[in-house]
Amino acid sequence: MKIFHNSLHAAHAGRQEMFRGRMVPSHELPERLEHVLAELARRPLGELLEPAVDDATLQAALLRVHSGAYLEFLQGAWQAWVALDPDNAQRDALPSVWPLGHRHAFRMDAPTRHFAARLGQHAFDAGTPLTAGTWTAARAGAACALAAARELLAGGRAAFALTRPPGHHAGPDYFGGYCFLNNAALAAQALRDGGCERVAVLDVDYHHGNGTQTLFYERADVLTLSLHGDPATEYPYFLGFADERGAGAGQGFNLNLPLPRGSGFEAWSEALERALAELRGFGAQALVVPMGLDTFVGDPISGFTLRGEDFLRIGERLARIGLPTLFTFEGGYAVAELGVNAVNLLQGFEAGAGS
Ligand SMILES: [Zn+2]
């Protein structure tokens, strides 16, 4: 498979995040991706490519998923943060005030201009540091996802967008969960725009892909499926429940399969089969897999118990679906094992696709 690699990913290196009243070191680190690259050097799976970023094409693709106001905010956010106070250059931007959505509580359309308020308008947690290089890295990552989509449109069987920051928590005009631009949604939309009539997104990250669900919630042309830790107890808490089946024209085109903390590969595989039954009925022409590896037993911020060899089986099973498949790199924070687990899944896919 072709692997589109974002060499600018390390421009985004969050220092700290807020976790339950404390500032703790950021989990979403550049070394995550470096471990995948190192494992790919040991077990090569295909060409490693770096897509060129064409400004106009990229901007048009970003606007298919994210709002213009949000993109403008992200692009200028660091400069606005430092303009508040020159000392801010020494620390990452994190929001500390939010307009809750209760009726009459706060005006969602308030014409506020203060950067602290705008940060709260576009973020849903205080765990996602926005840094000097966030826009550079996220934008180059989006270009990888779009290049991977082009590879499938050109007839490729599989492609991997190896990029960070991750994307599946990012919505139309907000960031959170370490995500800024929704790479999986950008890829799915690019596949639609390139002529695929029906695209399925199967999110296997430990955390519900809330951003992707929201982006396609009222659409029947993109089926969103997600296996994840039950939001009753797991991040992102406010979305990802089983009764969210889509709305309007999208009614019936979203399926959430939340699983209790502590679930192992057997329960996870059963949920996968339910998702794949839904996928078969949909008649997808291409598949996008937001590939989180934080279902691993050793993950420091998650609660499933999948083991390294399980990722090989997952890859083989996904290959047997028989669809052109695009993987985006999402979560996974057991940094030392992350490279092995990611390459296991992709190698399993290659083995399954070849058999
Ligand atoms: Zn995750």
Side-chain angles (χ1 to χ4, degrees):
M1 71 177 66
K2 285 193 178 158
I3 299 164
F4 297 92
H5 160 233
N6 174 11
S7 69
L8 300 177
H9 78 92
H12 174 71
R15 283 169 274 203
Q16 290 188 304
E17 58 187 71
M18 175 71 84
F19 181 73
R20 297 179 190 164
R22 285 182 301 143
M23 295 302 290
V24 300
S26 187
H27 283 104
E28 202 291 291
L29 297 167
E31 62 185 290
R32 297 179 57 247
L33 191 148
E34 300 302 331
H35 277 280
V36 180
L37 276 180
E39 190 63 20
L40 283 170
R42 278 189 284 273
R43 290 188 280 162
L45 291 175
E47 266 183 280
L48 210 60
L49 303 160
E50 194 165 333
V53 183
D54 172 90
D55 284 349
T57 309
L58 181 58
Q59 182 68 8
L62 293 176
L63 283 168
R64 297 285 288 143
V65 166
H66 297 289
S67 77
Y70 175 59
L71 296 173
E72 199 182 316
F73 166 81
L74 277 185
Q75 185 166 9
W78 183 255
Q79 288 75 9
W81 172 244
V82 175
L84 274 186
D85 176 350
D87 283 351
N88 279 353
Q90 308 308 315
R91 58 184 83 93
D92 302 335
L94 289 174
S96 54
V97 58
W98 289 271
L100 279 177
H102 295 296
R103 200 157 173 250
H104 304 310
F106 294 104
R107 279 186 58 179
M108 303 304 280
D109 66 338
T112 186
R113 287 191 300 277
H114 195 281
F115 181 73
R118 294 187 65 214
L119 193 56
Q121 283 176 323
H122 290 298
F124 68 87
D125 66 33
T128 307
L130 194 155
T131 77
T134 296
W135 175 247
T136 300
R139 193 171 166 280
C144 290
L146 295 169
R150 280 198 299 274
E151 164 65 13
L152 292 201
L153 289 168
R157 171 72 167 92
F160 177 33
L162 176 52
T163 184
R164 51 169 296 283
H168 73 147
H169 292 300
D173 60 357
Y174 49 87
F175 68 91
Y178 311 140
C179 302
F180 296 88
L181 298 174
N182 194 316
N183 299 313
L186 287 161
Q189 184 62 49
L191 289 165
R192 283 287 298 108
D193 292 340
C196 277
E197 285 178 22
R198 287 179 300 283
V199 177
V201 180
L202 172 63
D203 191 319
V204 299
D205 189 278
Y206 178 76
H207 304 96
H208 174 244
N210 62 288
T212 319
Q213 170 173 313
T214 297
L215 281 160
F216 297 115
Y217 205 59
E218 295 190 14
R219 287 172 53 172
D221 57 336
V222 178
L223 173 70
T224 43
L225 307 160
S226 183
L227 283 67
H228 50 265
D230 189 339
T233 59
E234 308 304 306
Y235 185 92
Y237 305 116
F238 303 114
L239 205 67
F241 296 90
D243 62 353
E244 297 155 14
R245 296 289 277 127
Q251 181 65 45
F253 294 91
N254 182 74
L255 180 66
N256 287 327
L257 296 159
L259 293 164
R261 193 175 184 83
S263 293
F265 187 55
E266 197 179 330
W268 194 94
S269 298
E270 282 171 20
L272 178 65
E273 291 307 320
R274 284 189 56 199
L276 297 187
E278 192 84 1
L279 196 156
R280 275 192 295 277
F282 176 65
Q285 293 164 337
L287 175 64
V288 176
V289 180
M291 189 181 82
L293 291 310
D294 43 7
T295 49
F296 177 58
V297 62
D299 197 273
I301 63 168
S302 307
F304 289 167
T305 60
L306 272 60
R307 301 188 179 274
E309 61 272 22
D310 296 332
F311 294 102
L312 279 164
R313 304 288 94 75
I314 294 170
E316 287 167 6
R317 184 66 190 92
L318 295 179
R320 286 207 304 278
I321 301 166
L323 288 173
T325 302
L326 187 158
F327 298 90
T328 58
F329 186 51
E330 306 289 346
Y333 308 97
V335 175
E337 295 91 346
L338 180 59
V340 172
N341 292 339
V343 176
N344 276 0
L345 196 155
L346 298 170
Q347 194 176 53
F349 184 93
E350 293 284 69
S355 62

